[in-house]
Amino acid sequence: GIAIGIDIGGTKIAFGFVDEQGEVLAKGSLKTDLTVSPSEMLGRVADALKQLAEQQQLSLEGIKGIGVGAPGPLNTQKGELTCPPNLKSWWGFPVVEELKKHLPFPIKMENDATAATLAEKWIGAAKDSEHFIFITISTGIGAGIFMHGKLLTGSTGNAGDAGFMLVDQAGTPWENVASGTAVARQATELLGREVTSKEAFDLAAQGDPQMSELVNRVFTSIGMGCVSLINILDPNKIVIGGGVSQVGDPLFSAVRDYVSQNALNPSGREAAIVPALLQQDAGLIGAAALVQQAY
Ligand code: ADP
């Protein structure tokens, strides 16, 4: 059967039809319009999905269910978004109940990073692992935990919110140090002009001393976060995705070095640190995975 995937984000909502092999059959997206109500916005998504099905001659009869990936903090028991910082007008909104009104299929909702974790297990970089952690380093930092062959979701679906690990005495969350947003902010402060995260990494690669120091600090912070997660959860693999992972080898080498020297036990030091395989459509495929894969 075919699954509908819906990936709700602060800038856009991606949606589409995904088959049992993880193939995207048809997709679309709508800009998240924060000037209209969440129910209006979800009505538009449902209409767009129906239109897409018609265009592609996909019968809605054969739909197995709908998977929804959404930013946390959320409550998957209640089917609502609790207080995601980039979707303030959606706080407390019953997403699952509302979608059911438009599309009469079974619905599963999980945190977006948790959904992406299942996608990496399904058709991505963690097919071979029963114990791994997925980390996405982008606007913020998100993560998902897959242990003993199952997703670890927690009591309300917020397990793995690693971006909120506190990394110093002041209570600074990890993502305020090591996300793309945090790199851009620190680089901008240091150079006294607007600097993007990509530019900061590029300047560091070219040998700029201030940017090299910043980037090394950020790589160390990413390594430290990985070591903490490895020490707590004992995975054999860490999959890293998100915009910042595009930096590629300098980041992966630095994190591998840090982990191989600092994880507490020898098996943890050997955990594989690998890039995510799913880039394009990762959110959409992750959402559909919630329907296509048992978890
Ligand atoms: P989102 O957070 O919406 O999922 P991305 O995963 O693309 O989006 O992450 C966006 C963040 O990643 C931004 O802070 C951006 O500056 C940073 N980023 C995107 N591409 C790169 C790159 N090639 N190198 C370094 N940073 C990048």
Side-chain angles (χ1 to χ4, degrees):
I2 292 167
I4 291 176
I6 302 177
D7 180 36
I8 300 175
T11 52
K12 64 168 186 169
I13 301 182
F15 50 82
F17 297 92
V18 180
D19 73 11
E20 286 174 7
Q21 277 72 49
E23 204 73 54
V24 178
L25 303 175
K27 64 175 175 175
S29 78
L30 290 172
K31 191 181 157 304
T32 310
D33 187 346
L34 295 171
T35 67
V36 304
S37 66
S39 66
E40 162 73 20
M41 197 61 226
L42 289 177
R44 290 182 191 174
V45 170
D47 288 345
L49 272 163
K50 287 173 192 165
Q51 211 176 352
L52 191 61
E54 205 165 311
Q55 278 166 12
Q56 304 287 322
Q57 294 173 351
L58 283 164
S59 158
L60 291 179
E61 301 289 302
I63 297 298
K64 223 158 126 181
I66 303 175
V68 181
L74 44 53
N75 189 316
T76 54
Q77 295 296 314
K78 295 181 176 165
E80 62 186 40
L81 303 192
T82 314
C83 49
N86 294 328
L87 281 170
K88 286 222 166 82
S89 55
W90 291 57
W91 287 18
F93 185 76
V95 168
V96 170
E97 195 184 298
E98 183 68 24
L99 273 176
K100 273 228 168 80
K101 290 182 194 163
H102 299 279
L103 299 162
F105 306 107
I107 302 181
K108 289 185 163 179
M109 180 167 84
E110 297 293 344
N111 179 298
D112 46 16
T114 301
T117 305
L118 192 60
E120 290 294 332
K121 170 64 190 174
W122 183 21
I123 51 169
K127 272 194 241 176
D128 62 346
S129 176
E130 300 300 307
H131 307 279
F132 74 96
I133 295 164
F134 168 76
I135 302 173
T136 172
I137 309 179
S138 52
T139 306
I141 297 182
I145 303 164
F146 192 91
M147 288 278 137
H148 302 275
K150 285 172 71 76
L151 265 187
L152 202 149
T153 57
S155 59
T156 57
N158 290 301
D161 218 340
F164 282 83
M165 293 198 291
L166 306 183
V167 294
D168 63 24
Q169 202 67 19
T172 307
W174 189 26
E175 67 176 23
N176 288 12
V177 180
S179 67
T181 311
V183 171
R185 192 200 68 240
Q186 294 169 92
T188 297
E189 281 166 14
L190 284 165
L191 298 186
R193 63 176 177 87
E194 204 63 44
V195 185
T196 65
S197 123
K198 184 172 184 330
E199 193 190 347
F201 286 111
D202 287 346
L203 287 170
Q206 290 157 24
D208 178 280
Q210 276 175 300
M211 291 301 100
S212 297
E213 199 197 320
L214 168 64
V215 162
N216 285 335
R217 202 151 20 88
V218 167
F219 287 166
T220 300
S221 176
I222 297 171
M224 289 174 75
C226 289
V227 164
S228 292
L229 291 165
I230 288 169
N231 288 348
I232 297 168
L233 293 161
D234 195 16
N236 56 24
K237 182 175 268 193
I238 295 197
V239 177
I240 305 180
V244 172
S245 72
Q246 301 293 324
V247 169
D249 193 55
L251 183 151
F252 284 91
S253 300
V255 173
R256 281 180 196 124
D257 280 352
Y258 192 88
V259 166
S260 67
Q261 286 163 36
N262 294 285
L264 185 61
N265 70 65
S267 63
R269 279 175 229 143
E270 285 167 17
I273 315 284
V274 302
L277 220 60
L278 296 170
Q279 299 286 350
Q280 228 201 332
D281 303 330
L284 169 58
I285 295 169
L290 301 172
V291 172
Q292 299 290 22
Q293 294 284 286
Y295 66 91

